[in-house]
């Protein structure tokens, strides 16, 4: 049924015209919609210009509008707003707390117990800080309780709060190693430094830092004991709260906090907090029925209460009647023996068609949080419309906020949305529509991943301008933020593309990420990325392509996973494939990777052979960037072989190549900076070994501060330390002392042995002698 009224009319006039066209009084519309007569009158007179989307939907249903007319009314409401909400930048930090529930009620006994444990941890009165395991059925409010504790202003943990979603119900739960890497990044350990640590060293570093923190760490949604056991603190004052649907009985020495359903009094308090005390107190019997029908489960109660809160003219008795109507709900969803789909079905029944469709489609997203842009692509709607639809789902309690600007669907609601999608969309159209939506999202995610990754590739950089692009990719930092924030979603799309046999797409994404991967070594999925890409190259029968990605895989095996033998095998395979294909460049890179791997294995003779062969091939292929990289490796190898002068000459060759005007536009700025830093740092050890103190000081001064800026704390500490040693040998006591103190100021970042050596150096200076001679190690 059309409106006959243009959407340019102010919202109030349009609402009045629609009401009058149906010959309804304000009181009759209030009764039909559940919106109070006073609120309708205020909207029509322009006193309330920004109604919630849920309220607009309730009015549209009370007016019996068709989908087009409903869209007109929503558009008028949207136009009445002061302006579109600006898009928030994607944040890269994955461990900030989600926004807590503002109207949290109940659970006082559990909160009191957790507060006492937090104080016990913060005071450090026990050898190992306490650990709490909060368990309970889905929808019982485990995460809300943990976030409530962490948000309390009187928290005894001044170093902050951190939350890691362990994704225990996913097909691929987060591993303890991945959680450790992510937390170390949040605690200031640079990605490049993480890349140089084995899994065991990362875990040790995690426990070292954790021991010095007075903080709360929430390990949310844990699926098994093995996921969290390595993360439990051994000493210090970090209070860890684990939430899980399971009791995790295999964990020993933990305090268990079991959550059941709410008590009748707590259920009533929650209803009062959301719906309003006056309405609940006026109908205590109906409120009790609502609580019973929701099984006293917090999630179900909140969904039902949010629905009632936007329909102020409806009685709780009417709400209870709708919840009791079996015909209005599916029976596919339960939490143990608690049927919670009544509340879900009630809220879904009052959604606008577009919002209901969005809710069903969101079940197709992989687990984890998501952005409005992903939802817009999935539903094939403009971004502002997707924003509005998500806000309506938030108002209905069917969606949760996550990190800044992102959303999350509760596991129960995801299951329910999937059941609605299968039931309401029909077996044929529903399946076809779902496939189309998933395909649309997959292509968009991978297209965007390629554009973002190529920001770091010398031959691409900034993508062409596109006003229709849904995310900002105006600089490298924006690209990196998107890749990191959407890591779960574009990785899921990548896996789906591989499963569909989209080999060219798999290779394209992996290639686009090649240069960026060095900036996020600790992610934990690069081995999978390049294993799939190498397999795709093999499926295409392209030996050169497979060689390329087996070379990348060699890097990932060693740099990201410290799997040395597999790395050597991958590089050796790449060497064989490159020879077969006659690809000189990949032939060179295979030798370069093998030189790097043999260098790591202290087989200096074999490393030198590979590096020399790689340098010859790079020269033949006229690839200056590859030549520079293996030359930096050769400096280390020559030093290790005792060929100091050859190492110094090789460094000179590198610096000459960087200064050669013929290469000005062939070497990207980031590669130029990194190469100079790497070469000079490597040659500084040659000068130190040979006790060429003046040359060592000159080189170390030139690189001082550059490692700090990149977050490479170990190297930064050694630059300060070695510069101090050399200055002390030259009699520059004041500057030497300043450099020793710079190391000591890096507490929590510089390795313990480096700091101990700086202490010894300061003590030696105070005693009037230089620091004892040391063996300089990289």
């Amino acid at each position: 049924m059309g409106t006959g009224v243009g959407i340019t009319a102010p919202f109030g006039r349009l609402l009045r015209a629609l009401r009058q066209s149906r010959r309804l009084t304000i009181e009759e519309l209030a009764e039909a919609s559940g919106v109070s007569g006073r609120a309708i009158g205020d909207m029509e007179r322009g006193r309330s210009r920004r109604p919630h989307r849920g309220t607009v939907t309730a009015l549209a249903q009370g007016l019996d509008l068709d989908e087009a007319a409903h869209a007109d009314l929503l558009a008028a409401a949207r136009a009445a707003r002061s302006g579109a909400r600006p898009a928030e930048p994607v944040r890269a930090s994955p461990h900030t707390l989600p926004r807590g529930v503002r109207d949290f009620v109940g659970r006082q006994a559990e909160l009191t117990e957790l507060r006492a444990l937090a104080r016990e941890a913060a005071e450090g009165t026990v050898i190992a800080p306490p650990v709490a395991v909060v368990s309970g059925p889905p929808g019982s409010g485990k995460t809300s309780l943990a976030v409530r504790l962490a948000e309390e202003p009187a928290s005894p943990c001044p170093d902050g709060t951190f939350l890691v979603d362990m994704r225990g119900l996913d097909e691929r739960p987060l591993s303890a190693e991945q959680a450790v890497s992510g937390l170390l990044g949040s605690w200031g350990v640079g990605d490049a430094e993480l890349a140089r640590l084995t899994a065991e060293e990362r875990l040790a570093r995690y426990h070292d830092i954790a021991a010095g923190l007075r903080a709360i760490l929430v390990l949310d949604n844990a699926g098994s004991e093995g996921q969290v056991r390595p993360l439990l603190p051994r000493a210090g004052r970090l209070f860890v709260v684990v939430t899980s649907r399971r009791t995790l009985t295999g964990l020993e020495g933990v305090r268990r906090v079991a959550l059941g359903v709410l008590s009748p009094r707590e259920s009533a308090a929650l209803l009062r907090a959301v719906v309003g005390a006056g309405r609940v107190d006026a109908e205590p019997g109906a409120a009790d029925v609502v609580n019973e029908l929701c099984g006293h489960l917090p999630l179900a109660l909140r969904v039902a209460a949010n629905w009632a809160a936007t329909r102020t003219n409806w009685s709780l008795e009417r709400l209870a009647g709708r919840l009791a109507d079996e015909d209005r709900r599916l029976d596919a969803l339960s939490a143990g023996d608690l049927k919670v789909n009544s509340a879900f079905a009630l809220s879904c029944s009052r959604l606008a068609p577009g919002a209901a469709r969005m809710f069903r489609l969101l079940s197709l997203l992989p687990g984890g949080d998501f952005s409005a842009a992903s939802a817009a692509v999935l539903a094939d709607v403009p971004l502002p419309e997707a924003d509005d639809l998500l806000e309506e789902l938030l108002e209905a309690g069917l969606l949760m906020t996550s990190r800044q600007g992102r959303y999350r669907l509760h596991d129960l609601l995801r299951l329910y949305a999937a059941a609605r999608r299968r039931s309401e969309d029909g077996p044929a159209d529903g399946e076809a529509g779902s496939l189309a939506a998933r395909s649309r999202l997959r292509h968009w995610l991978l297209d965007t991943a390629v554009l973002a990754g190529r920001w770091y590739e010398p031959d691409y950089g900034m993508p062409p301008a596109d006003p229709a692009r849904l995310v900002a990719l105006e600089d490298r930092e924006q690209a990196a933020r998107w890749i990191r924030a959407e890591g779960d979603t574009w990785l899921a799309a990548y896996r789906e593309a591989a499963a569909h046999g989209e080999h060219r797409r798999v290779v394209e994404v992996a290639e686009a990420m090649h240069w960026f991967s060095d900036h996020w070594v600790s992610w934990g999925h690069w081995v999978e990325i390049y294993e799939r890409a190498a397999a795709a190259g093999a499926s295409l029968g392209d030996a050169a392509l497979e060689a390329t990605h087996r070379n990348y895989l060699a890097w990932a095996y060693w740099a990201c996973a410290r799997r040395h033998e597999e790395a050597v095998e991958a590089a050796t395979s790449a060497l064989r494939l490159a020879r077969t294909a006659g690809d000189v460049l990949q032939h060179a890179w295979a030798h370069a990777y093998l030189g790097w791997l043999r260098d790591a294995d202290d087989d200096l003779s074999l490393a030198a052979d590979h590096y020399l062969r790689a340098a010859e091939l790079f020269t033949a292929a006229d690839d200056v960037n590859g030549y520079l990289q293996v030359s930096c490796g050769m400096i280390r190898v020559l030093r290790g072989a005792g060929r100091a002068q050859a190492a110094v000459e090789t460094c000179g060759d590198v610096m000459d190549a960087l200064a050669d005007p013929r290469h000005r536009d062939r070497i990207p700025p980031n590669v130029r900076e990194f190469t100079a830093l790497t070469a000079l740092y490597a040659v500084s050890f040659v000068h130190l070994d040979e006790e060429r103190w003046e040359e060592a000081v000159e080189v170390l001064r030139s690189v001082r501060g550059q490692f700090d800026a990149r977050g490479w704390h170990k190297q930064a500490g050694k630059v300060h330390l070695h510069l101090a040693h050399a200055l002390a040998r030259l009699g520059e006591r004041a500057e030497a002392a300043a450099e020793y103190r710079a190391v000591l100021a890096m507490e929590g970042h510089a390795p313990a042995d480096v700091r101990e050596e700086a202490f010894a150096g300061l003590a030696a200076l105070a005693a009037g002698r230089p620091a004892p001679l040391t063996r300089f190690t990289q």
Side-chain angles (χ1 to χ4, degrees), residues 642-726:
R643 298 174 59 188
Q645 189 56 36
V648 172
E649 290 172 358
T650 302
C651 182
D653 291 342
V654 169
M655 303 310 292
D656 288 345
L658 291 172
D660 192 329
R662 293 175 298 173
H663 302 322
R664 182 178 295 114
D665 298 326
R666 302 181 64 198
I667 306 172
N670 60 316
V671 175
R672 182 181 297 278
E673 294 169 8
F674 177 78
T675 300
L677 178 60
T678 303
L680 291 171
Y681 181 66
V683 85
S684 73
F685 288 88
V686 179
H687 295 314
L688 292 165
D689 290 340
E690 298 293 308
E691 299 186 10
R692 300 171 184 168
W693 307 121
E694 291 181 355
E695 290 91 335
V697 165
E698 181 182 359
V699 170
L700 289 167
R701 278 175 174 164
S702 72
V703 300
R704 180 176 50 191
Q706 294 187 49
F707 285 118
D708 312 66
R710 287 170 166 81
W712 295 14
H713 303 302
K714 177 180 177 181
Q715 290 77 10
K718 289 199 170 187
V719 167
H720 290 299
L721 178 68
H722 295 163
L723 180 55
H725 285 337

Side-chain angles (χ1 to χ4, degrees), residues 399-706:
L399 198 61
M400 301 180 291
T401 57
S402 182
R403 293 174 278 157
Q404 296 95 328
R406 300 178 70 78
Y407 302 88
R408 187 177 184 87
L409 198 61
H410 189 281
D411 294 333
L412 285 179
L413 287 165
R414 184 182 301 278
L415 292 172
Y416 183 74
R420 293 291 293 250
R421 177 172 51 80
R422 290 190 296 269
S423 172
E424 297 184 18
D425 293 343
D429 292 342
E431 183 64 23
S434 296
L435 288 173
R438 290 181 71 96
S439 176
R440 187 166 55 244
L441 179 64
R442 179 171 75 253
H443 288 297
W444 177 77
L445 284 167
L446 297 183
D447 284 344
T448 308
V450 167
L451 289 175
R454 281 179 174 167
W455 246 115
Y456 289 78
E457 194 167 349
D459 294 335
Y460 289 92
M462 182 177 180
D466 182 0
R469 186 173 296 128
L470 297 179
V471 295
L473 296 176
E474 303 303 317
D475 55 44
R476 287 159 58 101
E477 288 70 27
Q478 286 182 339
R481 284 197 296 269
W482 186 90
I483 293 170
R484 290 170 180 260
E486 297 290 351
D488 288 342
T489 49
W490 72 255
L491 177 60
Y494 183 79
R495 289 167 174 160
E496 194 172 313
H500 282 76
E502 297 173 2
H503 304 308
R504 291 289 178 191
R505 173 48 65 95
V506 167
V507 167
E508 180 188 30
V509 174
E511 181 64 49
M513 288 292 167
H514 169 55
W515 283 77
F516 173 77
S517 59
D518 274 324
H519 299 266
W520 198 18
V521 177
S522 60
W523 182 38
H525 295 288
W526 296 119
V527 167
E528 178 186 353
I529 292 292
Y530 291 112
E531 282 180 340
R532 291 186 184 277
S539 296
L540 291 168
D542 189 327
L545 197 59
E546 184 182 356
T548 299
H549 291 277
R550 292 210 175 275
N551 273 326
Y552 298 161
L553 181 56
W555 167 84
Y557 275 138
W558 182 234
C560 307
R562 286 297 183 259
R563 290 154 62 176
H564 188 271
E565 292 307 313
E566 288 165 284
V568 171
E569 183 181 345
T572 303
S573 176
L575 186 66
R576 184 180 63 254
L577 287 161
R579 283 173 177 162
T580 301
D583 190 315
V584 176
L585 199 54
Q586 290 309 315
H587 191 177
W589 278 114
H591 278 296
Y593 283 119
L594 286 167
W596 173 55
L597 291 165
R598 293 309 181 191
D599 182 6
D601 206 24
D602 287 330
D603 190 341
L604 300 183
S605 176
L606 190 53
D609 289 342
H610 282 298
Y611 276 146
L612 288 170
R613 182 60 179 142
E616 293 171 357
L617 290 165
F618 280 127
T619 301
D622 194 26
D623 187 318
V624 65
N625 292 295
Y627 173 81
L628 290 171
Q629 182 163 325
V630 296
S631 295
C632 288
M634 277 299 296
I635 299 171
R636 295 192 304 272
V637 170
L638 290 168
R639 179 216 172 198
R643 298 174 59 188
Q645 189 56 36
V648 172
E649 290 172 358
T650 302
C651 182
D653 291 342
V654 169
M655 303 310 292
D656 288 345
L658 291 172
D660 192 329
R662 293 175 298 173
H663 302 322
R664 182 178 295 114
D665 298 326
R666 302 181 64 198
I667 306 172
N670 60 316
V671 175
R672 182 181 297 278
E673 294 169 8
F674 177 78
T675 300
L677 178 60
T678 303
L680 291 171
Y681 181 66
V683 85
S684 73
F685 288 88
V686 179
H687 295 314
L688 292 165
D689 290 340
E690 298 293 308
E691 299 186 10
R692 300 171 184 168
W693 307 121
E694 291 181 355
E695 290 91 335
V697 165
E698 181 182 359
V699 170
L700 289 167
R701 278 175 174 164
S702 72
V703 300
R704 180 176 50 191
Q706 294 187 49

